[in-house]
Every structure is written in structure tokens, then in C-alpha cells.
Amino acid sequence: MTITINDIREAEARIQPYAHRTPVLTNESLNQQVGAQVFLKCENLQKVGAFKFRGACNAVYSLSDEEAARGVCTHSSGNHAAALALAAKMRGIPAYIVMPNNAPAVKKNAVAGYGGRITFCEPTLEARESTLDGIRLDTGANVIHPYNDERVIAGQGTVALELLEDVADLDVIIAPVGGGGLLSGTSIAAAEMKKGIRVIAGEPEMADDAFRSMKAGKIIPSENPKTIADGLLTSLGNLTFPIIQKNVEQIVTVSEAGIIASMKFIWERAKIIIEPSSAVAIGALWEKKINLSGIKIGVIISGGNVDLGKLPWQ
Amino acid sequence: MTITINDIREAEARIQPYAHRTPVLTNESLNQQVGAQVFLKCENLQKVGAFKFRGACNAVYSLSDEEAARGVCTHSSGNHAAALALAAKMRGIPAYIVMPNNAPAVKKNAVAGYGGRITFCEPTLEARESTLDGIRLDTGANVIHPYNDERVIAGQGTVALELLEDVADLDVIIAPVGGGGLLSGTSIAAAEMKKGIRVIAGEPEMADDAFRSMKAGKIIPSENPKTIADGLLTSLGNLTFPIIQKNVEQIVTVSEAGIIASMKFIWERAKIIIEPSSAVAIGALWEKKINLSGIKIGVIISGGNVDLGKLPWQ
């Protein structure tokens, strides 16, 4: 199946009653700092504090009533889990969530708060998948993968759709890349909405599997990465990678210091709370490894879920 | 001179090229917490991180060219100073700023960053006023008082104007009160925009001079107040008090613990950075001293200037 702009438009209509249309903010200090005109699409202000609600919501409301009755399940390091739990709660169906036992407390509490039924496991892909498989066999719940799922990718594509509806003449869109759901959806929407628009990704240097996958021409899995950007630890999927390969110009890696500096700058100047994974997209501008000066850049602020008791500049 | 809705509409047109139209955000967790439907008018996302830019900008652009050439001056504990410095910079005129020597570093740096010419003084009203007087006599600069100024009050009134343009059916608007510029402007705009709308203020218990002034029927000056809400230390003015007396239903006092809890809740759930003075308006709902359940409430988030190295929950 190929995901098209029509799937993204359908997703937009499907999630519209449930999701926020998030604002696009500008900040003069940021523009001066990076030497370009930046438009921040604020998915940190989305429900559950992350763009992930869009994909999860689109998936949940794509199910038939019969499918939905069995519930949904997933494994996730956090934001997708909270998003799926809330979307399921809205539809009145159970959400079974497999979480790594090292997920931040704020994310665990969020999932529980939205009524998700959590099973903890070791923080490895193998443990997550086998735990999830057991739950699926027990309950018959529909697996909603955090990113390697057409419905999820189409849902995430609605971010760029809205951004380009609001600011039609962007030259570039920058999004962070983890599993590639947001980036692949963004790239499909962007290519269809504006001829010639460039799509660039930011990725932590310390979790640069997408960067290396693009160079190698095949998926190189992420191996036990250590980065403050805890939403970007996962590897690309067999659905997201080919879309990214086709549509994304390049992946810019960002140092841990660049992520933290970008995050603090946005907190101080733009007065919004962004999580480290979001700061990676700002960091791609911040460290000036590529020349984007003087142009119009849309940056997708992916989420704002941060443990306020554990800030990286304390 | 009486300030009318026409002055506020003129201010809106005057500042429109320079100020942000700030978004109105909603948050389901907040609604559940306070038992009402809350609309946050986000002046923390305004230029200089506070509503103060509106009043300062309106005042600066109300000057004739001849007046403007001599510059502007003021005394302020912070946000008005930054706002006046930026508005003056935009118009290309000097801004002379008298600041108390105990103002937060983040606010001093902001004023300097906008090109304001700072003179420090002791943190008393007397020291501020005499220092300012000297500067005015030396330079001929126009004094732009932080709140006791018709142009400033009209400018601050544009916040409520925009809020009611976006959400016409509010039952109540809550704003914080310090010197009363925002509150008086809000009350004029609200009364004219929607018949019967209620305007309520939040004030720190530890700086409750406006609360006491309303009870006494005359201005009771603030005397060396100690509260985390450092934007609300000043006393009402002879322009703002009668407007507030006439239009404001009541002033709700908020404990320091309520201010901090409200602030943290908004950071965690709404993902925006608000300063303690803004949290006072949320706090008026938080502590449930008045019954506002089930209705539509607009809350003016006045600013977001916080020293990130010195958070009250650390």
C-alpha cells in the first residue's frame, strides 16, 4: 500500500473532532540566532503533549466497530503509548500498553492517567515485541505500531498539512527522526502540498541510525543508543524507510550539547516547553552544519513531555 | 479623560504591525482540575514574553515625531522595561529605564538586549521615582508609566479584545492585578464587548493591596510585599483604581503554595512557560475560593519570564 496525500486528508477529517489544531509560532530571537525565518508548528501543545496523538487517533478511529471492541495494543517508550491510551479512551475501548521499565516517570503516569493498561518489560526491542505478542494473543487487540503503520504515518502527516495550510510559502520543513513516522508522513504531505519544498531531518549524533541508514541505502538498526532525546531511540521501519529515502533531502545529526542548548533557548525565548527530541529539529539549525540562511523554515516541535524535576541544565 | 472601547480599538490597529496576535489554548486536564471550561489567552507568547509589550507599543507609537525624538523613560521591575525598550528600538528612539537593583537577572538581560539604557536604583518606589525624575529633566524623554497611563491601559485592553473576538461567549475573564493596567484595560474591553460578562482578578495573598483597596474604597498602597509573583508588587494607580472599582466584580487572593502549584500544573500539562504572576490568575481558580464551576472562563496568562535556573519546585 502506498500512502498518499488523500490518506492524510482523510486522517485530517477523521481526527479533527478529537485533536487540537496547534498554533504556528514565530520568535524574533530564534530567527536572529539561526539567520532564517522560522515557523514553529507546536505539537508540544497537542493532546498528550505530542504529535503522536494524531497517528494514534487516526488508527483508533479507522477500526471497524467489531475490530475496535477488542481494543488496541502497542509497545512504546512513551508518547505513542499515552496517545493510544487517550484515543482508545475517547472511543471507549481498552488500550494495552507495553512500556520499557526505564521510561520517564512523567510518561508512565500519563499513560496510566489516560486509562492505559500497562505491562512493563525490559528496554529491548525483543522484550517489547514478545510481551506485546503475548497480549495480542490473549486479548485479540489490534496492534497499533508506533510508526510502522500506514494509519499512523497518515495521521502524523497531518502536522505538515496544517503547517503548509497556515504558511504556504515555506522553503524547507525540518522534523526530528526516530522511527520515522512523523518524518515519512511529513515528507508525503510536503511533496504534495508544495512543489520543490525540501524536507530535512534532525537526528541525535548519539542515535544516528537513520543517518547511517540513508548512507548505506538499507535500514541499519539502532543499537542501544544513549541520548537525552529519549523519543528518538528507535530504528526506522520497513514502511517508513523507503518513504524517507525517496522524499527526504538529508539527515542532519546534532550533538547532545546542541540539543540541550536548543531546548533551553526555546524555553527561555519562545516560552514553550519542548522535550529534547523536539530540540533536535531546532538543533539541526542551531549547529549550522547546513546552510539554510535567509529562507523560510518550518520546524515541527514534536512534543513537550519533560520531567520538570530533572532538567538537563540543572 | 475616560478610556473607552474606541481607544482600545485604536490601540489594536496601532500595535498590530508590531505585536503578536497570541493564541488561545485549551487544556482538558486543566478543565477537569478546576471544573470549568478554561481558555488561556497566552500573552507569555507575546513579544518580550509579556502583555506589557502592548501598552508600551501603543504609548510609543502614540507619540508625535517631535515627542518621540526625545525618547521614552520609565521605572519598572521588569516586563514593562523590556517592553518599552523593544518598542522604542522598533521606532528608533532611545529608552531610558530605571530598574530596582534586585530585579531578576533574566529581566535585566532582556532590557539590555533590547537596547534599553538602564539606571539601577534601590528597590523602593521613592528611589525609582526620584531617579526617573532626574533622567526626565536631563533628556526631556517622555515618561511612560508602567500602568498609570491612558495609552498603556488602552494597549493592555487589546488582550481582552482579541480574546473575546476569538471566544465570544465567555462568562468570566480572570486577570492578575498588580498596578492594574492589565485589569483596568481588560475590564473596559470586556464590558463593551459582552453585556454582563464578569471580570475577576487574582492577587497574591502576600501582596493583597488591591484586595484591601477594594474593601476600603480607596487606594491602599502596597508596603514591601514578599511574594514569588514579582510582577505584582506595585500599588494601584489613580487612573486604574476607579476603573477597577467600577468594573471588576471581585479580587480573589491566592496563597504562595497555590501560585506555585498552578504554575507547575500549567508547565506540566499545557506545556507553556508561565511566570508566577500569571499563575496567580490560574490560582484564583485552583484554590476554589469562588464557585465558577461549569462556566466558560477566559484566563489571561500575563507573561512567561522566568529564571530557568531558579524554579520554585527545585
Side-chain angles (χ1 to χ4, degrees):
Chain A
M1 177 193 156
T2 309
I3 302 158
T4 68
I5 188 76
N6 289 335
D7 298 311
I8 298 174
R9 290 200 190 282
E10 279 175 31
E12 187 182 35
R14 193 176 286 123
I15 71 175
Q16 186 272 325
Y18 312 105
H20 286 307
R21 175 153 193 140
T22 53
V24 177
L25 301 180
T26 59
N27 186 274
E28 197 46 39
S29 308
L30 177 62
N31 291 348
Q32 283 175 17
Q33 180 72 27
V34 304
Q37 214 179 331
V38 181
F39 298 84
L40 303 173
K41 175 65 172 170
C42 292
E43 288 299 301
N44 55 330
L45 307 180
Q46 186 52 264
K47 297 238 169 115
V48 316
F51 74 94
K52 295 273 186 180
F53 182 69
R54 295 173 183 263
C57 188
N58 189 48
V60 163
Y61 282 92
S62 296
L63 297 171
S64 70
D65 286 347
E66 194 190 354
E67 288 170 328
R70 298 195 302 272
V72 288
C73 61
T74 196
H75 65 77
S76 161
S77 63
N79 284 335
H80 174 66
L84 192 65
L86 177 59
K89 186 183 175 191
M90 285 174 166
R91 190 155 179 191
I93 61 175
Y96 307 95
I97 310 291
V98 176
M99 291 187 88
N101 50 27
N102 64 352
V106 67
K107 296 189 174 181
K108 292 178 194 171
N109 294 343
V111 171
Y114 295 124
R117 306 178 189 189
I118 306 177
T119 306
F120 289 109
C121 71
E122 291 303 305
T124 65
L125 190 59
E126 294 69 26
R128 289 181 185 204
E129 291 188 338
S130 66
T131 308
L132 182 64
D133 222 43
I135 289 170
R136 182 182 59 79
L137 291 171
D138 279 357
T139 62
N142 305 271
V143 176
I144 313 289
H145 191 277
Y147 52 88
N148 211 42
D149 181 307
E150 288 91 351
R151 301 161 296 189
V152 171
I153 294 170
Q156 319 306 30
T158 62
V159 179
L161 201 67
E162 289 181 6
L163 173 56
L164 284 162
E165 281 167 2
D166 286 358
V167 191
D169 57 346
L170 292 176
D171 301 300
V172 180
I173 295 182
I174 303 179
V177 59
L182 176 64
L183 181 59
S184 59
T186 297
S187 75
I188 294 167
E192 290 291 330
M193 295 277 288
K194 195 191 168 200
K195 265 270 172 295
I197 192 169
R198 298 160 66 190
V199 177
I200 293 174
E203 188 177 39
E205 267 175 23
M206 304 294 284
D208 67 343
D209 56 291
F211 176 81
R212 288 184 291 120
S213 299
M214 287 278 268
K215 295 277 181 224
K218 62 176 185 185
I219 297 175
I220 298 188
S222 188
E223 276 181 20
N224 198 22
K226 299 257 184 292
T227 168
I228 190 176
D230 61 350
L232 306 180
L233 300 176
T234 43
S235 310
L236 295 172
N238 66 345
L239 288 179
T240 57
F241 179 58
I243 301 170
I244 291 168
Q245 244 188 332
K246 181 177 163 219
N247 296 327
V248 174
E249 178 188 300
Q250 63 175 307
I251 294 175
V252 177
T253 59
V254 183
S255 72
E256 295 295 293
I259 295 169
I260 294 169
S262 303
M263 180 174 161
K264 193 174 183 201
F265 188 88
I266 294 295
W267 283 46
E268 281 183 337
R269 302 307 184 96
K271 314 296 179 192
I272 54 173
I273 291 182
I274 68 171
E275 58 184 72
S277 304
S278 301
V280 171
I282 300 289
L285 289 169
W286 187 268
E287 297 192 317
K288 300 197 171 138
K289 288 183 189 167
I290 48 170
N291 180 10
L292 296 171
S293 69
I295 62 177
K296 286 195 166 183
I297 304 171
V299 173
I300 298 177
I301 299 295
S302 51
N305 290 314
V306 174
D307 189 337
L308 292 181
K310 233 167 90 178
L311 301 178
W313 49 78
Q314 282 166 3
Chain B
M1 177 192 155
T2 309
I3 302 158
T4 68
I5 188 77
N6 290 334
D7 298 310
I8 298 174
R9 291 200 189 282
E10 278 174 31
E12 186 182 36
R14 195 175 286 121
I15 71 175
Q16 185 271 325
Y18 312 105
H20 286 308
R21 177 156 192 135
T22 53
V24 177
L25 301 180
T26 59
N27 185 274
E28 196 46 39
S29 308
L30 177 62
N31 291 349
Q32 284 175 18
Q33 180 71 30
V34 303
Q37 213 177 334
V38 181
F39 298 83
L40 304 172
K41 175 64 171 170
C42 292
E43 287 300 299
N44 55 330
L45 307 180
Q46 186 51 268
K47 297 236 169 119
V48 316
F51 74 93
K52 295 272 186 180
F53 183 69
R54 295 174 183 263
C57 188
N58 188 48
V60 163
Y61 282 93
S62 296
L63 298 171
S64 70
D65 285 348
E66 194 190 354
E67 289 170 325
R70 298 196 300 274
V72 288
C73 62
T74 197
H75 65 76
S76 161
S77 63
N79 283 335
H80 175 65
L84 193 65
L86 178 59
K89 186 183 175 191
M90 285 175 167
R91 192 157 178 190
I93 62 175
Y96 306 95
I97 310 290
V98 176
M99 290 187 88
N101 49 26
N102 64 350
V106 68
K107 295 190 175 181
K108 293 178 193 170
N109 295 341
V111 172
Y114 294 124
R117 304 176 191 191
I118 306 176
T119 306
F120 290 108
C121 72
E122 291 302 305
T124 66
L125 189 59
E126 293 70 27
R128 290 180 183 205
E129 290 187 341
S130 66
T131 308
L132 181 64
D133 223 41
I135 289 170
R136 182 181 59 77
L137 291 171
D138 280 357
T139 62
N142 305 272
V143 176
I144 313 291
H145 191 275
Y147 51 88
N148 210 42
D149 181 306
E150 287 92 349
R151 302 160 296 187
V152 171
I153 294 170
Q156 318 306 30
T158 62
V159 178
L161 200 67
E162 289 181 6
L163 173 55
L164 284 162
E165 281 167 2
D166 286 0
V167 190
D169 57 347
L170 292 177
D171 301 299
V172 180
I173 295 182
I174 303 180
V177 61
L182 176 65
L183 181 59
S184 58
T186 297
S187 75
I188 295 167
E192 289 292 330
M193 295 277 288
K194 196 193 168 198
K195 265 269 173 296
I197 192 170
R198 301 161 65 190
V199 177
I200 294 174
E203 187 176 39
E205 266 175 23
M206 303 294 283
D208 67 344
D209 56 290
F211 175 81
R212 287 183 292 120
S213 300
M214 288 277 269
K215 295 274 179 224
K218 62 176 186 183
I219 297 176
I220 298 188
S222 188
E223 276 180 22
N224 198 22
K226 298 257 184 294
T227 167
I228 190 177
D230 61 350
L232 306 180
L233 301 177
T234 43
S235 309
L236 296 173
N238 66 344
L239 287 180
T240 57
F241 179 58
I243 302 171
I244 291 168
Q245 244 188 334
K246 180 176 163 219
N247 296 326
V248 173
E249 177 188 301
Q250 63 174 308
I251 294 175
V252 178
T253 58
V254 182
S255 72
E256 296 294 292
I259 296 170
I260 294 170
S262 302
M263 179 173 162
K264 192 173 185 203
F265 188 89
I266 294 295
W267 284 46
E268 280 183 337
R269 300 308 182 94
K271 313 296 179 191
I272 54 174
I273 290 181
I274 69 171
E275 58 184 73
S277 304
S278 301
V280 170
I282 300 288
L285 290 168
W286 187 270
E287 296 192 317
K288 302 200 170 133
K289 289 185 189 167
I290 46 172
N291 180 10
L292 295 171
S293 69
I295 63 178
K296 285 194 168 186
I297 304 171
V299 173
I300 298 178
I301 299 295
S302 51
N305 291 315
V306 174
D307 189 338
L308 293 181
K310 234 168 88 179
L311 300 177
W313 48 79
Q314 281 167 4

